[in-house]
C-alpha cells in the first residue's frame, strides 16, 4: 500500500470512529472505566453521617467547625490494546474482514481514551509479540496507531494469547485497562495467563468473529484453507452430520471461552463482522457502569 492510499484510509477511519466516539462513547467510556485512585479535591462542612476519618483536622481547628476532605477519582488511566494479528484475522464473509473490524474498534477506543486524557498503547501479537507501541497521549499518537493497525504485516501466522498477556503483565507496571481483541482461535492453554493479567490490570475480552465460524451453510464440497497452518481440506457441507458437528464444536469453543472469562472475572463482548459493533460496546460500557 503506497503512502497516499494509507493516508486516505487513516483519514476515513478517523472521520468515522472519531465521530462515533464524540457522539456515543465519550460519556459511557468515562463512566465505565475507573481511574487509578482518589485524589484530594476540596473541603466542605461536616454533615451527620460523614466518615470520621475524612475530617480535615487542620481546617477544623482553624475555623473551630468540622470540615471533611472531598476526594475525586483520578481520571487519567493507561489503556492498552492487545491486537491479534494472526492469519485468521484476515477472514470475513460478509461486511468486512475481522482485521478491519478490529482496526475500527481500536480507533474508537483510542479516541475515547484521549478525550478522557488517558494514555493509550498497543501490543501486536501472533505466535509471539510482534510490536509494542508504548502508551502516550495525543492525536498524533492515535493516528500513528491507526496507521499501524492498517499497514502492519505480521511475521508469524499463529496465535499465542498467553504470550501476549505475559508481555502485558511484564511491560506495563502501572495498572491499566487492557482490551484483548482476538477471535480466540488458540488451542494453547492461556487460562492462568488470563487470571494473572487480570489481577494486575483491568482486562476486557473483545471476541471478534465471523458468522461462518459458527454456522456452516449447505453449499456442497468446499475447500477449507487454514491460514495459520497452511493446510487445506475438503469439507462436504451438504452432509447434515458434518454441519451439526461443526456447529456443535463452534458453540463449545465459544461457551468454553466465555466460561474462562467468567472464572477469571473478566468482562467481555462478542462482536460479529456482520453486525454493528456499537451496540455490544455500549452494552459492555453500561454493564460496567451499573456495577460501580
Amino acid at each position: 500500500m503506497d503512502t497516499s492510499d494509507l493516508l486516505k484510509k487513516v483519514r476515513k477511519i478517523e472521520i468515522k470512529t472519531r465521530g462515533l466516539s464524540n457522539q456515543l462513547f465519550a460519556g459511557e467510556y468515562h463512566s465505565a472505566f475507573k481511574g487509578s485512585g482518589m485524589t484530594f479535591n476540596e473541603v466542605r462542612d461536616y454533615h451527620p453521617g460523614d466518615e470520621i476519618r475524612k475530617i480535615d483536622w487542620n481546617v477544623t481547628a482553624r475555623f473551630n467547625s468540622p470540615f471533611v476532605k472531598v476526594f475525586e477519582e483520578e481520571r487519567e488511566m493507561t489503556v492498552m490494546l492487545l491486537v491479534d494479528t494472526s492469519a485468521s484475522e484476515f477472514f470475513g464473509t460478509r461486511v468486512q474482514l475481522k482485521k478491519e473490524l478490529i482496526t475500527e474498534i481500536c480507533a474508537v477506543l483510542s479516541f475515547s481514551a484521549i478525550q478522557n486524557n488517558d494514555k493509550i498503547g498497543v501490543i501486536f501479537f501472533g505466535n509471539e509479540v510482534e510490536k509494542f507501541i508504548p502508551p502516550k497521549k495525543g492525536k498524533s499518537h492515535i493516528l500513528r496507531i491507526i496507521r499501524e493497525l492498517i499497514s502492519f504485516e505480521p511475521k508469524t501466522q499463529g496465535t499465542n494469547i498467553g504470550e501476549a498477556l505475559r508481555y502485558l503483565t511484564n511491560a506495563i507496571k502501572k495498572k491499566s485497562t487492557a482490551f484483548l481483541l482476538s477471535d480466540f482461535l488458540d488451542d494453547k492453554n492461556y487460562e492462568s495467563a488470563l487470571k494473572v493479567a487480570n489481577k494486575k490490570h483491568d482486562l476486557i475480552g473483545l471476541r471478534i468473529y465471523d458468522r461462518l465460524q459458527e454456522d456452516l451453510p449447505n453449499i456442497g464440497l468446499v475447500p477449507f484453507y487454514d491460514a495459520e497452518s497452511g493446510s487445506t481440506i475438503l469439507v462436504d457441507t451438504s452432509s447434515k452430520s458434518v454441519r451439526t458437528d461443526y456447529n456443535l464444536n463452534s458453540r463449545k469453543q465459544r461457551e468454553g471461552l466465555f466460561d474462562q472469562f467468567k472464572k477469571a472475572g473478566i468482562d467481555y463482548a462478542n462482536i460479529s463482522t456482520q453486525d454493528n459493533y456499537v451496540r455490544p460496546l455500549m452494552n459492555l460500557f453500561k454493564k460496567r457502569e451499573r456495577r460501580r
Side-chain angles (χ1 to χ4, degrees):
M1 185 186 303
D2 63 35
T3 303
S4 62
D5 286 342
L6 176 59
L7 292 176
K8 285 176 185 176
K9 285 196 171 187
V10 170
R11 182 60 178 157
K12 184 177 178 181
I13 289 175
E14 179 193 0
I15 291 169
K16 179 178 180 180
T17 57
R18 194 173 190 182
L20 275 172
S21 180
N22 290 337
Q23 296 167 25
L24 299 173
F25 292 122
E28 281 74 11
Y29 173 96
H30 181 97
S31 301
F33 302 104
K34 295 182 179 181
S36 57
M38 306 297 288
T39 184
F40 173 72
N41 185 33
E42 60 182 1
V43 294
R44 62 162 172 79
D45 290 330
Y46 173 85
H47 300 305
D50 286 338
E51 294 182 47
I52 299 297
R53 63 188 178 89
K54 290 185 178 178
I55 291 178
D56 188 318
W57 295 106
N58 290 329
V59 178
T60 296
R62 191 180 311 141
F63 292 98
N64 200 29
S65 179
F67 284 82
V68 295
K69 295 178 181 179
V70 178
F71 293 83
E72 65 179 5
E73 191 176 62
E74 292 179 7
R75 274 302 314 158
E76 181 180 312
M77 297 190 304
T78 297
V79 177
M80 291 300 301
L81 305 173
L82 280 68
V83 178
D84 185 350
T85 62
S86 61
S88 62
E89 302 306 334
F90 291 84
F91 179 80
T93 57
R94 298 297 180 96
V95 179
Q96 60 190 158
L97 300 177
K98 285 184 279 185
K99 178 182 184 293
E100 294 168 341
L101 178 56
I102 286 174
T103 297
E104 280 197 27
I105 292 172
C106 285
V108 165
L109 293 172
S110 297
F111 282 117
S112 297
I114 62 168
Q115 283 179 15
N116 282 275
N117 200 37
D118 294 336
K119 296 178 181 178
I120 188 156
V122 187
I123 295 171
F124 293 94
F125 72 95
N127 248 344
E128 59 190 41
V129 171
E130 302 234 10
K131 192 178 185 72
F132 171 54
I133 300 177
K136 287 175 60 177
K137 298 180 184 179
K139 182 183 173 183
S140 61
H141 181 62
I142 302 304
L143 295 180
R144 180 202 169 186
I145 288 174
I146 295 173
R147 285 197 301 271
E148 290 284 357
L149 286 163
I150 293 170
S151 62
F152 185 76
E153 296 182 2
K155 297 173 185 173
T156 60
Q157 297 287 305
T159 308
N160 193 329
I161 292 170
E163 186 64 27
L165 292 169
R166 285 186 285 273
Y167 189 94
L168 169 72
T169 303
N170 293 327
I172 306 300
K173 303 304 180 186
K174 182 181 176 183
K175 179 176 176 140
S176 72
T177 296
F179 293 90
L180 175 56
L181 298 100
S182 175
D183 54 16
F184 293 92
L185 298 178
D186 182 359
D187 57 6
K188 293 173 283 298
N189 189 329
Y190 52 86
E191 187 171 357
S192 63
L194 276 176
K195 291 178 180 177
V196 171
N198 196 48
K199 281 183 180 177
K200 182 173 181 181
H201 302 283
D202 180 10
L203 188 62
I204 298 158
L206 300 181
R207 177 180 178 256
I208 311 300
Y209 74 99
D210 189 274
R211 292 282 178 86
L212 187 58
Q213 288 176 233
E214 301 200 330
D215 187 15
L216 192 64
N218 183 353
I219 51 176
L221 201 61
V222 178
F224 272 61
Y225 175 69
D226 185 337
E228 297 194 9
S229 68
S231 61
T232 301
I233 59 170
L234 284 174
V235 176
D236 184 7
T237 64
S238 63
S239 167
K240 186 176 180 180
S241 63
V242 168
R243 294 198 307 275
T244 300
D245 288 347
Y246 180 93
N247 298 344
L248 180 61
N249 288 334
S250 297
R251 186 167 67 250
K252 285 174 64 177
Q253 191 271 341
R254 181 182 69 244
E255 291 174 353
L257 173 66
F258 295 162
D259 188 51
Q260 275 194 79
F261 286 155
K262 289 172 185 174
K263 285 180 180 177
I266 294 169
D267 288 326
Y268 63 90
N270 198 36
I271 306 174
S272 165
T273 55
Q274 185 177 342
D275 301 324
N276 192 316
Y277 58 82
V278 171
R279 184 178 295 277
L281 284 182
M282 290 286 280
N283 288 342
L284 172 67
F285 290 178
K286 288 175 180 176
K287 177 183 174 184
R288 290 175 62 93
E289 184 181 355
R290 285 194 297 269
R291 287 208 310 265
R292 291 191 62 179

